[in-house]
Amino acid sequence: MEVTQALLNAQSIDGTVRKHAEESLRQFQEQNLPGFLVSLSGELASEDKPVDSRKLAGLILKNALDAKDENRKRELVQRWLSLDSAAKAQVKACLLQTLSSLVLEARSTATQVVAKIAGIELPQKQWPELIGSLLSNIHQVPAHVKQATLETLGYLCEEVSHEVVDQDQVNKILTAVVQGMNSSEKNNDVRLAATRALYNALGFAQANFSNDMEREYIMRVVCETTMSPEVKIRQTAFECLVSIAAMYYVKLAPYIQDIYNITAKAVRGDEESVALQAIEFWSTICDEETDILEEYVGDTTGDSDIPCFYFIKQALPALVPLLLETLLKQEEDQDLDEGAWNIAMAGGTCLGLVARTTGDDIVPLVMPFIEENITKQDWRQREAATYAFGSILEGPSPDKLVPLVNHALPFMLSALVKDPSNHVKDTTAWTLGRMFEFLHSSIVGTPIINEGNAQQIITVLLQSMKDVPNVAEKACGALYFLAQGYEDVGLTSPITPFFQEIVQSLLTVTHREDATESRLRTAAYETLNEVVRCSTDETAPLVLQLVAVIMMELHKCLEAQNLSSDEREKQSELTGLLCGCLQVIIQKLGSSEPTKYVFLQYADQIMGLFIRVFACRNATAHEEAMLAIGALAYAIGPDFAKYLPEFYQFLEADLQNFEDYQVCAVTVGVVGDICRALEDKILPYCDGIMTQLLKNLSSDNLHRSVKPPLFSCIGDIALAIGDNFNKYLTYAMNTLQIAAEMYAHTSGFDLEMTEYINNLRNGILEAYSGIFQGFKNSSKTQFLIPYASHILHFLDSIYMEKDMDDVVMKTAIGVLGDLADTLGSNAASLIQQSLSSRDFLNECLTSDDHMIKESAKWAKLAISRAISV
Amino acid sequence: MAPHDLRRPFKRPLISDQERRRQHSLLRQAQNRLDAQRHARFLVSTAFSLSSSQTLESHEKEELDVLEASKLKGAEARKWFAKQLMHPEWMIDIPQNLTNDWFVFARPSGKRCFVVSSNGTTISRLRNGSILHRFPSKLPNGARTKEVSSGSSNSYSILDCIFHEQDQTYYVIDMVCWRGYSLYDCTSEFRFFWVNSKLVETGACDPPSYYHKYRFGLVPVYSCDQSGLCSAYSVPVSYVKDGLLFYNKHAHYQAGITPLALVWKDENCSQYVMDTDNKGQVPNQQQVVLELQEDGKLATCDDPPMEFGCLDGSFIQQSDLHSGYLLRFAIGEGGLVLVDGKLGKADLKYLGKANRARASADSFSKVMFQYSVRHSPLIIDDLLGSVSSPADQESETCDVEMDG
């Protein structure tokens, strides 16, 4: 076929032509994949072909190697690896050749494709000559070849893990890259490509950062590069500094003074894109130091692996004024723009992080700025002063802050109502929210909200909730934290006298015409939820009244007909909010017997509404309705059975919702709730549920995070229906056994994967636990005997791996007990032979974790009985 | 190379309310699953609790529950704590060997509560399990201070206290756990020693400050000899007294009513000797609250319950009563008749259902103490008499030896 023409036609504006071309390309690919890829790479490499066909050829090549979806990606990797090696060699040769192309688009597409192939082949120890041949390019004279090569190295570092590149090659890559950044390199494209490559290669430079001379060299070049005349290069150089701050914090001490000078200059005078990165450097240092200091507090021995250099504390006298200056550079309507991010916002955020890192020390440095600006004519000054105050409310001690807040509170309340600037009011409301979030609590020392000012504060906030949407949203947020502070207040809450009025005002907000702007409606419902959560018995009758109100809202919302797609989306969002609110109310009222009893009168109607929610096809709405139903089942108990005939179809449908895997995950949890509520009354539905659970477990298309709860859910079912589980036993045990074998070992996996495997193990073990406990004292226990040896073997192998977390340990030792308990003398000799019944059990018995200890004591008891009989 | 997005959350909380709801549900489900598992396992352990290690296991069970309970929240915690305090019996006769085997101290007047410090906060819970205060304190892990405490950060301490309103002080009358170390199975002698040596060093007895909202106070505990008993009874203390508490030196901490701790009161050391009615008046006739059993019998809250009489079926039906109801009776002219230390007959007059706030019936010892207060009270001189003459006790043992 004529590939060039097909590639050009595939970009035609004429839909018919385009479709036809796409179809013929697809056929080509299906009929002869190697040929297809070879001709695409030929197209890309060929200097006399049109740019557009070359670019698309490269793009299709790239998409043939990688995909966002993990499963698809795995398929593509396998497909490439099993391809004819001659074809692969040809494709790779064309790609490397394209790196020298004079056409920028062709070159840069090729760099990405080379990196994708490297990402597949290097971990397999294939294409060993790649890095060598790229490095030899560096010494070529034409700048464009150098640029493309550096770009390729950069992408390559992004694609492959640093373990697969040996140190010698890493050294050579870094040498080439840093040389390319050097000011002696006069070509800006080369410098930019080199700087970007360094950004990706930093993760490879562990050893080099430990070598004083090499680190000195890298740092000097990076710092010099921040002063390049080219803005993009400066920005990228600062990105490198940010990344270095996160990765090599402990190595920074000798450079911190220089970096301060560089960043200060950039913040004060450079383009915004550069200044933002300069601020981000300090924010990152704050992140690092907060993490380290948190470790200190958590660690009882007082020493930690990573020392804290207190860079922020030392830089404080210079850093704080620098950040305060940025606060005055606000954009007019930044509060109305969701995507806004500017120097004032970055500076303010950094100031907040600095306060968290240093605590009290920041207060005297910021107070004069606040005092000087808070009453100025220019709104920018008032806003900056207010923002500065809000920023430092987390970190310094209450002792230091409470007097200041008490002093400022009347002023802030007045500004919230009277200041002419929306921007100032927005920030004022946010600052009030921060005061309540960090300093108002029924348990901490002197209260900032007391009998004397509570009335005024609430009145002002309720009034402010009638202001423009962005201000009203912040007022709702402030009220949220005001309510939260009275969590655990005891029997009587200071909010009680205002409860009715607050709820009424929040409902009024949700009905505002402009409630969908600035997230206002969401904020109002979130605040309503928090007010309900933190309410006391005194207001239980009012919460009960709220049930009917929210039900009516949900009913009205579901009634709406003939909506535009935009309206439909808003309707779905509202449905989710209302279901969320009902969930909170169900939990609140269900937690005490008298209110639960009254509330349950509404159960039929509420369930009817939830069922109608499933008619709308919105993931969030489904998820919220499911969560609420789980809470309802827990509150109702066995009587929930009456809803299952109608509800079951939706339960099953959402168990199959792989695309919105969160919905699937939540539904699996709800199956567990229903099992515990219904016990053996769930039996008639178990065929369907078990089929679906097992199907989900064997599917590659379901998001992996759902798998551990799926296993646990099998245990929930077994525990609920007892030995009726016998009919599923073969299938379930088979699935569990395969999974157990697969996840017995974690060697070769990274930390994240090991954590995930531990979650899976816990699920598998919970399933075993439920099955054994379910069969206990039944006449069918003998059916479990054949599985005992495998399960004990699984316990032994995960014990020997020594990579269990505490949760798995607890569940695992519990399974040992359950097995002994249910099988008794039938398993006595198997148990005695197992390592778990000796070393593992002893280790658990002496564990510091009381949950593990408890399970172990249980296991010991069960085993001693099994053996003694 | 992916552009580096450096936007950080601005004026927004880090966790959305929806995420909170999701996490909350997951937590609840995990907890429920654990409960179901426990329940299943426990059913069996009762089935084979007849094995020789029964007592040991039941003790262990209790200790584990304390460790567990420190993590409970809300209604669960309330339910659990309501059952955990050790309650003294009322002293209706004087235990033998009071001098050597018992401690005595003046009970502070106020609200009895469990105080738990963990994870940077301190919570006190009343006898019904509900929260009295949640506050920062200098107890181990009792406040969110940056100081690195000795002890692991998740260890906790549990004190048995009385909150004394007048000086806003928690008087510590017992210690159940200290820095994660359970004192349940320790003798009261050891527990009191531990209170005295550990509490002060934490600074918990210091005056209130920002991270220490309420002061904790020690209660002077005496060995129950002549001088100890006199001191407990008459030496003035910083709190208002409400009777004397007697603790057996060898007894472990045991939830519920125990005869190894005793309470005694007279007008001199307590404002509340005789029960009052809901108007604060002492009624003419003694009143008791008893629980109606399924067979119509009226029982105390003791374990096993003591029977005080029986209502006949027609009366039960007529008055629309059901088993489990708490009923109030007056003790009539006939009084209580004891036969061999056990109740033979009680002259009860039905008054009506008990106040709904009542959680349980009266205990046998309380009814008997109240009865004796009205008829032949046990007075301080009786107590002093029983501890006065160490010679007497010696002579008792001597008697036997001299027989040769």
Side-chain angles (χ1 to χ4, degrees):
Chain A
M1 81 179 279
E2 175 39 78
V3 174
T4 309
Q5 198 51 52
L7 288 167
L8 291 174
N9 286 351
Q11 302 170 68
S12 162
I13 325 163
D14 184 337
T16 338
V17 174
R18 200 169 61 234
K19 280 225 172 69
H20 182 73
E22 284 169 353
E23 181 55 25
S24 56
L25 286 169
R26 198 179 57 78
Q27 276 179 17
F28 185 10
Q29 174 168 10
E30 276 172 13
Q31 283 156 12
N32 179 7
L33 181 67
F36 178 65
L37 297 178
V38 167
S39 67
L40 287 178
S41 60
E43 183 79 15
L44 178 60
S46 173
E47 289 289 276
D48 45 5
K49 297 285 184 184
V51 176
D52 286 341
S53 72
R54 294 177 76 181
K55 241 170 70 181
L56 186 60
L59 204 66
I60 297 174
L61 265 176
K62 196 177 119 188
N63 290 338
L65 297 162
D66 195 9
K68 277 221 174 82
D69 181 77
E70 268 185 64
N71 295 307
R72 173 82 185 137
K73 182 174 177 167
R74 247 199 327 265
E75 279 170 34
L76 293 176
V77 167
Q78 283 314 315
R79 194 177 76 174
W80 173 262
L81 287 172
S82 56
L83 214 62
D84 168 51
S85 52
K88 282 192 285 191
Q90 217 175 333
V91 170
K92 290 190 274 190
C94 287
L95 289 168
L96 290 180
Q97 185 194 327
T98 315
L99 294 182
S100 324
S101 165
L102 290 166
V103 181
L104 172 69
E105 284 97 331
R107 272 198 324 266
S108 77
T109 316
T111 60
Q112 296 177 43
V113 185
V114 170
K116 291 290 173 200
I117 297 179
I120 296 172
E121 295 201 348
L122 294 191
Q124 309 288 329
K125 309 255 179 257
Q126 297 176 17
W127 211 1
E129 70 281 11
L130 170 66
I131 292 175
S133 75
L134 286 174
L135 289 168
S136 70
N137 271 356
I138 294 286
H139 304 295
Q140 297 206 1
V141 188
H144 72 273
V145 183
K146 221 170 174 176
Q147 177 262 339
T149 306
L150 286 165
E151 206 171 299
T152 310
L153 287 170
Y155 283 126
L156 187 144
C157 292
E158 197 178 18
E159 285 296 328
V160 305
S161 141
H162 62 88
E163 286 112 17
V164 305
V165 183
D166 63 48
Q167 186 60 41
D168 179 51
Q169 287 191 320
V170 169
N171 293 341
K172 286 180 180 151
I173 292 175
L174 283 169
T175 310
V177 166
V178 180
Q179 270 171 11
M181 288 171 72
N182 216 327
S183 52
S184 61
E185 173 60 58
K186 296 301 172 212
N187 184 304
N188 277 342
D189 293 339
V190 173
R191 267 190 104 182
L192 181 59
T195 314
R196 285 185 174 157
L198 180 71
Y199 178 78
N200 284 327
L202 283 169
F204 289 61
Q206 214 79 43
N208 312 80
F209 263 83
S210 298
N211 177 316
D212 290 349
M213 214 172 67
E214 295 180 21
R215 185 184 61 245
E216 287 289 337
Y217 175 55
I218 297 173
M219 289 305 293
R220 183 174 59 75
V221 173
V222 173
C223 289
E224 277 172 16
T225 313
T226 64
M227 287 173 275
S228 154
E230 177 59 38
V231 59
K232 278 231 169 89
I233 296 177
R234 291 199 303 275
Q235 182 190 332
T236 312
F238 274 111
E239 283 178 35
C240 289
L241 280 181
V242 170
S243 191
I244 290 169
M247 280 187 243
Y248 302 107
Y249 169 83
V250 289
K251 306 285 184 196
L252 279 181
Y255 317 104
I256 202 76
Q257 182 62 49
D258 287 342
I259 297 178
Y260 174 78
N261 294 337
I262 297 169
T263 50
K265 192 162 159 262
V267 170
R268 292 205 165 101
D270 211 327
E271 307 254 344
E272 186 159 59
S273 66
V274 181
L276 287 174
Q277 292 295 345
I279 293 175
E280 181 63 14
F281 173 84
W282 291 103
S283 292
T284 305
I285 296 285
C286 289
D287 290 344
E288 293 301 311
E289 296 197 340
T290 326
D291 284 353
I292 296 168
L293 294 172
E294 258 169 28
E295 288 276 302
Y296 279 171
V297 175
D299 186 359
T300 50
T301 56
D303 38 50
S304 154
D305 295 339
I306 312 164
C308 183
F309 290 95
Y310 299 99
F311 293 140
I312 297 293
K313 204 179 164 80
Q314 291 163 37
L316 211 54
L319 189 57
V320 169
L322 178 69
L323 294 171
L324 290 173
E325 280 172 42
T326 67
L327 294 184
L328 292 159
K329 299 181 181 167
Q330 310 95 323
E331 281 173 293
E332 285 287 347
D333 286 327
Q334 67 183 40
D335 283 315
L336 304 178
D337 177 6
E338 275 291 315
W341 186 250
N342 57 44
I343 190 164
M345 295 165 90
T349 304
C350 187
L351 187 68
L353 296 170
V354 169
R356 272 180 53 184
T357 315
T358 56
D360 288 359
D361 295 352
I362 197 171
V363 177
L365 296 171
V366 174
M367 286 319 290
F369 178 83
I370 297 172
E371 282 156 10
E372 192 192 322
N373 289 290
I374 194 92
T375 51
K376 282 283 160 57
Q377 193 66 37
D378 182 357
W379 71 266
R380 286 176 189 280
Q381 287 173 287
R382 297 196 306 279
E383 199 277 338
T386 314
Y387 195 91
F389 194 44
S391 295
I392 59 165
L393 290 171
E394 186 188 9
S397 67
D399 286 333
K400 195 96 183 173
L401 291 175
V402 167
L404 298 173
V405 166
N406 282 333
H407 182 69
L409 200 52
F411 180 88
M412 293 279 171
L413 290 172
S414 149
L416 184 54
V417 189
K418 294 192 186 124
D419 199 287
S421 155
N422 274 338
H423 201 137
V424 173
K425 285 197 279 190
D426 183 296
T427 303
T428 305
W430 170 78
T431 300
L432 286 168
R434 302 258 299 176
M435 290 176 180
F436 303 153
E437 181 178 4
F438 300 111
L439 297 165
H440 154 58
S441 148
S442 57
I443 58 168
V444 176
T446 358
I448 57 168
I449 304 177
N450 50 48
E451 273 178 39
N453 62 12
Q455 164 97 55
Q456 192 205 359
I457 292 171
I458 292 173
T459 307
V460 167
L461 290 179
L462 297 189
Q463 188 183 341
S464 178
M465 274 157 46
K466 297 178 189 145
D467 210 320
V468 292
N470 63 305
V471 175
E473 184 235 348
K474 303 295 187 305
C476 288
L479 197 55
Y480 183 102
F481 290 114
L482 187 143
Q484 190 171 76
Y486 290 122
E487 195 183 12
D488 303 317
V489 65
L491 299 172
T492 58
S493 167
I495 290 214
T496 298
F498 311 101
F499 190 87
Q500 184 90 310
E501 198 187 351
I502 290 173
V503 168
Q504 204 48 55
S505 304
L506 288 166
L507 290 172
T508 308
V509 170
T510 66
H511 292 141
R512 281 171 56 153
E513 295 254 326
D514 54 5
T516 53
E517 289 170 32
S518 289
R519 246 184 111 255
L520 176 56
R521 190 159 65 189
T522 306
Y525 274 114
E526 288 181 346
T527 303
L528 184 59
N529 292 346
E530 193 63 10
V531 168
V532 169
R533 276 192 205 108
C534 302
S535 64
T536 61
D537 288 349
E538 302 166 301
T539 40
L542 297 173
V543 176
L544 271 165
Q545 285 173 21
L546 196 56
V547 179
V549 176
I550 302 295
M551 278 169 56
M552 184 46 90
E553 294 284 333
L554 182 53
H555 170 75
K556 276 193 288 191
C557 174
L558 292 168
E559 286 289 284
Q561 300 282 333
N562 305 324
L563 303 172
S564 67
S565 69
D566 182 42
E567 287 167 333
R568 186 166 300 282
E569 196 181 313
K570 284 178 179 161
Q571 180 204 27
S572 301
E573 193 192 295
L574 179 58
T575 307
L577 291 171
L578 290 165
C579 290
C581 185
L582 282 170
Q583 186 206 339
V584 170
I585 295 175
I586 292 168
Q587 261 159 8
K588 185 73 195 181
L589 295 175
S591 66
S592 100
E593 288 299 320
T595 51
K596 180 163 100 181
Y597 178 73
V598 185
F599 158 74
L600 287 182
Q601 297 168 2
Y602 295 104
D604 288 357
Q605 288 162 279
I606 291 190
M607 199 57 202
L609 284 167
F610 288 155
I611 287 203
R612 284 169 63 197
V613 172
F614 293 111
C616 85
R617 299 180 163 277
N618 176 282
T620 311
H622 276 230
E623 200 186 323
E624 294 282 10
M626 272 296 168
L627 285 171
I629 288 173
L632 192 63
Y634 174 62
I636 294 181
D639 290 343
F640 187 82
K642 66 174 174 179
Y643 302 120
L644 267 189
E646 200 184 355
F647 171 54
Y648 178 72
Q649 51 175 316
F650 303 107
L651 187 77
E652 195 178 77
D654 275 352
L655 279 179
Q656 294 168 23
N657 191 346
F658 288 10
E659 199 174 328
D660 305 308
Y661 69 90
Q662 292 270 30
V663 175
C664 185
V666 160
T667 309
V668 172
V670 170
V671 172
D673 279 330
I674 296 176
C675 286
R676 285 180 289 273
L678 264 57
E679 300 200 328
D680 57 359
K681 282 193 196 161
I682 199 172
L683 191 57
Y685 303 93
C686 283
D687 283 359
I689 295 174
M690 276 303 292
T691 311
Q692 201 51 52
L693 294 182
L694 293 173
K695 259 195 206 165
N696 286 10
L697 278 170
S698 63
S699 164
D700 284 336
N701 298 320
L702 179 58
H703 193 273
R704 65 178 207 179
S705 68
V706 191
K707 301 257 164 123
L710 278 168
F711 284 120
S712 309
C713 190
I714 291 179
D716 296 339
I717 290 179
L719 197 56
I721 63 174
D723 65 4
N724 290 308
F725 191 80
N726 198 25
K727 62 200 274 203
Y728 315 117
L729 193 61
T730 324
Y731 308 103
M733 284 298 200
N734 187 35
T735 304
L736 290 169
Q737 186 161 343
I738 293 171
E741 274 161 21
M742 193 142 58
Y743 303 120
H745 308 285
T746 57
S747 53
F749 289 111
D750 59 9
L751 271 180
E752 191 197 357
M753 191 62 191
T754 306
E755 192 185 327
Y756 174 65
I757 289 177
N758 269 320
N759 289 342
L760 284 166
R761 289 169 172 177
N762 190 56
I764 294 167
L765 292 163
E766 284 189 331
Y768 283 139
S769 199
I771 293 172
F772 276 107
Q773 284 303 333
F775 273 67
K776 185 171 55 192
N777 299 333
S778 121
S779 56
K780 295 176 186 157
T781 48
Q782 82 268 13
F783 294 117
L784 295 178
I785 297 172
Y787 304 106
S789 121
H790 170 263
I791 292 168
L792 289 167
H793 180 69
F794 176 53
L795 295 177
D796 286 355
S797 19
I798 57 175
Y799 170 64
M800 291 198 298
E801 285 280 301
K802 302 278 176 211
D803 56 4
M804 268 185 276
D805 59 28
D806 283 356
V807 179
V808 175
M809 206 155 169
K810 185 214 83 190
T811 320
I813 205 67
V815 167
L816 182 66
D818 296 328
L819 187 146
D821 184 23
T822 299
L823 298 185
S825 57
N826 289 316
S829 67
L830 276 176
I831 292 170
Q832 279 173 301
Q833 286 160 28
S834 74
L835 192 62
S836 302
S837 67
R838 298 186 307 270
D839 301 10
F840 184 27
L841 182 60
N842 286 334
E843 198 175 312
C844 292
L845 282 168
T846 54
S847 166
D848 290 336
D849 183 307
H850 67 270
M851 303 276 278
I852 294 176
K853 212 167 171 177
E854 184 195 52
S855 292
K857 283 184 178 177
W858 147 254
K860 189 182 166 193
L861 198 68
I863 290 173
S864 68
R865 194 176 58 123
I867 291 171
S868 69
V869 173
Chain B
M1 279 157 270
H4 178 61
D5 186 10
L6 42 63
R7 264 183 297 173
R8 288 168 179 258
F10 187 72
K11 290 187 181 176
R12 288 254 187 285
L14 290 174
I15 295 182
S16 75
D17 198 71
Q18 193 200 359
E19 187 55 33
R20 261 188 80 183
R21 281 199 294 282
R22 204 182 282 145
Q23 287 174 358
H24 192 101
S25 289
L26 286 176
L27 221 64
R28 178 180 58 71
Q29 285 164 351
Q31 184 59 48
N32 292 349
R33 178 175 294 130
L34 208 66
D35 289 349
Q37 233 173 43
R38 280 238 178 79
H39 183 68
R41 287 174 183 166
F42 183 66
L43 284 182
V44 195
S45 59
T46 52
F48 59 81
S49 61
L50 292 172
S51 71
S52 58
S53 60
Q54 181 194 359
T55 48
L56 180 76
E57 287 305 325
S58 66
H59 262 303
E60 282 179 358
K61 183 85 198 146
E62 223 151 33
E63 176 189 336
L64 290 166
D65 278 350
V66 180
L67 297 156
E68 265 320 284
S70 66
K71 296 198 168 168
L72 293 178
K73 294 228 153 155
E76 302 265 305
R78 200 154 58 234
K79 251 189 253 161
W80 192 86
F81 278 100
K83 286 185 273 180
Q84 299 311 312
L85 281 170
M86 177 161 85
H87 294 292
E89 279 194 4
W90 289 70
M91 188 188 282
I92 43 187
D93 56 328
I94 301 169
Q96 289 190 349
N97 222 352
L98 201 56
T99 317
N100 294 322
D101 288 346
W102 295 73
F103 288 119
V104 63
F105 59 92
R107 181 194 186 281
S109 154
K111 291 175 182 148
R112 178 84 182 279
C113 47
F114 248 159
V115 176
V116 181
S117 71
S118 72
N119 286 323
T121 182
T122 308
I123 298 174
S124 57
R125 290 177 180 276
L126 299 173
R127 317 169 48 136
N128 65 6
S130 65
I131 294 181
L132 173 64
H133 297 128
R134 181 186 275 261
F135 58 101
S137 79
K138 286 190 179 170
L139 293 177
N141 286 314
R144 259 181 254 275
T145 51
K146 286 219 167 174
E147 294 160 35
V148 182
S149 58
S150 50
S152 112
S153 66
N154 54 17
S155 82
Y156 54 87
S157 304
I158 304 178
L159 302 176
D160 183 345
C161 297
I162 291 172
F163 183 67
H164 187 252
E165 289 281 352
Q166 290 87 336
D167 63 355
Q168 297 282 298
T169 298
Y170 280 94
Y171 286 96
V172 181
I173 62 168
D174 212 329
M175 182 181 268
V176 179
C177 281
W178 190 250
R179 297 193 194 274
Y181 170 58
S182 168
L183 294 159
Y184 261 86
D185 293 337
C186 302
T187 62
S188 56
E189 191 162 22
F190 181 81
R191 298 200 308 275
F192 289 146
F193 162 72
W194 215 241
V195 173
N196 277 297
S197 52
K198 294 292 167 188
L199 196 65
V200 178
E201 71 187 31
T202 60
C205 302
D206 298 349
S209 58
Y210 193 79
Y211 283 116
H212 183 58
K213 194 167 174 191
Y214 297 101
R215 197 173 77 86
F216 285 77
L218 291 170
V219 173
V221 177
Y222 305 95
S223 206
C224 197
D225 52 25
Q226 181 101 25
S227 82
L229 185 56
C230 277
S231 306
Y233 183 70
S234 49
V235 171
V237 280
S238 58
Y239 51 84
V240 179
K241 292 180 189 176
D242 181 18
L244 298 180
L245 281 170
F246 297 81
Y247 274 47
N248 186 294
K249 290 181 182 173
H250 314 294
H252 294 182
Y253 197 96
Q254 180 189 340
I257 301 175
T258 170
L260 296 176
L262 298 168
V263 57
W264 173 89
K265 297 178 178 184
D266 73 2
E267 307 284 348
N268 205 17
C269 68
S270 171
Q271 300 168 272
Y272 316 100
V273 180
M274 260 200 263
D275 272 359
T276 52
D277 60 17
N278 48 15
K279 295 183 199 85
Q281 303 292 315
V282 175
N284 288 331
Q285 291 183 314
Q286 181 187 350
Q287 297 188 357
V288 294
V289 173
L290 297 167
E291 186 179 326
L292 181 61
Q293 310 286 83
E294 238 162 90
D295 50 10
K297 286 180 178 152
L298 298 165
T300 63
C301 70
D302 301 271
D303 182 26
M306 302 284 276
E307 233 177 85
F308 262 69
C310 192
L311 288 183
D312 73 301
S314 62
F315 179 79
I316 294 176
Q317 239 171 4
Q318 212 178 343
S319 321
D320 193 26
L321 304 176
H322 298 279
S323 73
Y325 273 27
L326 299 177
L327 307 176
R328 182 172 291 281
F329 297 88
I331 296 179
E333 304 286 324
L336 302 173
V337 181
L338 289 176
V339 181
D340 295 338
K342 287 192 178 142
L343 188 72
K345 197 174 127 245
D347 177 16
L348 297 178
K349 289 179 183 161
Y350 179 66
L351 294 176
K353 287 175 211 165
N355 187 330
R356 277 175 42 174
R358 281 293 292 249
S360 64
D362 286 335
S363 68
F364 177 74
S365 67
K366 176 176 178 188
V367 175
M368 294 313 292
F369 186 89
Q370 288 291 325
Y371 187 76
S372 69
V373 164
R374 286 167 180 266
H375 297 91
S376 55
L378 191 62
I379 59 171
I380 187 70
D381 291 338
D382 297 336
L383 290 171
L384 286 169
S386 78
V387 298
S388 62
S389 47
D392 282 357
Q393 288 175 6
E394 263 168 275
S395 67
E396 255 178 48
T397 43
C398 285
D399 275 348
V400 184
E401 284 181 341
M402 280 196 295
D403 209 4

